[in-house]
Amino acid sequence: GAGVSQSPSNKVTEKGKDVELRCDPISGHTALYWYRQSLGQGLEFLIYFQGNSAPDKSGLPSDRFSAERTGGSVSTLTIQRTQQEDSAVYLCASSLAQGDYGYTFGSGTRLTVV
Amino acid sequence: QKEVEQNSGPLSVPEGAIASLNCTYSDRGSQSFFWYRQYSGKSPELIMFIYSNGDKEDGRFTAQLNKASQYVSLLIRDSQPSDSATYLCAVFYSSASKIIFGSGTRLSIRP
């Protein structure tokens, strides 16, 4: 696609429910990244996929968070048993190769846990 | 020392003046440097990248890089109210194979 596409744009869920967030990267981009941004805060790295290599999961805050990338393209970030502190904007980005030419971000998914 | 450090601001600059945003980084081996602009409620947008020491100009924006001092800056000439945003400095860390972002500087252009 022309840009990084994320869905849904907004998600309100009840505490304790599971949620899935989707990211469709730019066609041809081999690397895909997930970030989280709480209100007024900086970007918090979550996870990074590069081609067929094992993902870098070093930023996942707890084992309630997981992500997969199928067929080297679309990625899904899953949050199990959501908590109120999970409320944030979840941003996906993609890049050519390792990203030394920069990342392109999607418009994000605003998650609100009530 | 933080990997990428920026003053959080807010930085307030009068319309028409030059806004100067600064950033330092810790990895001497870094080769790629970026500035992203993020409007409130929007996602970050890449506005400048620089790989070589010196200045790189694009319209009203100039990125400056000094690898010896591990310092990157962004100058915005003839600042406009539409430049009011948070500016994120970002550095590609080859050791981590990913870009590390600073926490951003909030810039406000006052009419």
Side-chain angles (χ1 to χ4, degrees):
Chain A
V4 178
S5 178
Q6 291 189 248
S7 60
S9 54
N10 278 284
K11 176 74 176 178
V12 180
T13 190
E14 291 182 351
K15 179 181 172 182
K17 300 282 190 184
D18 297 353
V19 294
E20 285 189 351
L21 312 179
R22 177 188 165 103
C23 174
D24 196 349
I26 291 173
S27 178
H29 279 193
T30 57
L32 186 147
Y33 314 82
W34 284 98
Y35 286 84
R36 177 168 73 173
Q37 190 171 36
S38 300
L39 189 63
Q41 302 300 307
L43 297 174
E44 177 187 3
F45 167 76
L46 298 177
I47 188 168
Y48 155 42
F49 296 90
Q50 171 60 274
N52 295 320
S53 303
D56 174 358
K57 303 179 182 180
S58 60
L60 294 178
S62 77
D63 58 8
R64 296 187 295 105
F65 288 73
S66 63
E68 63 177 19
R69 188 179 185 191
T70 53
S73 181
V74 173
S75 176
T76 303
L77 176 69
T78 301
I79 309 173
Q80 296 178 310
R81 305 181 303 281
T82 51
Q83 304 294 312
Q84 287 186 328
E85 61 262 29
D86 299 334
S87 296
V89 175
Y90 289 80
L91 290 163
C92 176
S94 70
S95 72
L96 289 169
Q98 289 188 331
D100 41 346
Y101 295 103
Y103 300 168
T104 302
F105 283 87
S107 54
T109 293
R110 181 176 298 278
L111 175 67
T112 303
V113 182
V114 297
Chain B
Q1 182 187 3
K2 287 184 181 177
E3 292 167 308
V4 180
E5 198 147 5
Q6 297 180 254
N7 188 316
S8 61
L11 175 64
S12 181
V13 173
E15 185 174 355
I18 295 175
S20 177
L21 303 162
N22 305 313
C23 171
T24 57
Y25 60 95
S26 59
D27 182 6
R28 286 196 169 276
S30 295
Q31 299 293 327
S32 306
F33 307 86
F34 310 90
W35 283 99
Y36 283 79
R37 178 177 62 199
Q38 186 174 25
Y39 290 116
S40 181
K42 302 294 186 183
S43 58
E45 171 195 14
L46 180 63
I47 56 170
M48 288 287 286
F49 60 88
I50 185 166
Y51 304 126
S52 304
N53 272 331
D55 295 0
K56 178 181 178 182
E57 189 174 317
D58 183 1
R60 296 186 296 110
F61 297 92
T62 299
Q64 298 177 314
L65 174 61
N66 183 327
K67 290 184 181 179
S69 301
Q70 295 172 243
Y71 181 90
V72 194
S73 64
L74 179 70
L75 301 178
I76 306 175
R77 289 182 301 282
D78 187 24
S79 297
Q80 302 297 310
S82 60
D83 296 326
S84 297
T86 296
Y87 290 80
L88 304 171
C89 173
V91 179
F92 182 80
Y93 271 59
S94 53
S95 57
S97 297
K98 61 178 179 273
I99 292 175
I100 306 298
F101 289 85
S103 55
T105 298
R106 191 154 56 93
L107 174 66
S108 175
I109 307 300
R110 57 182 190 271

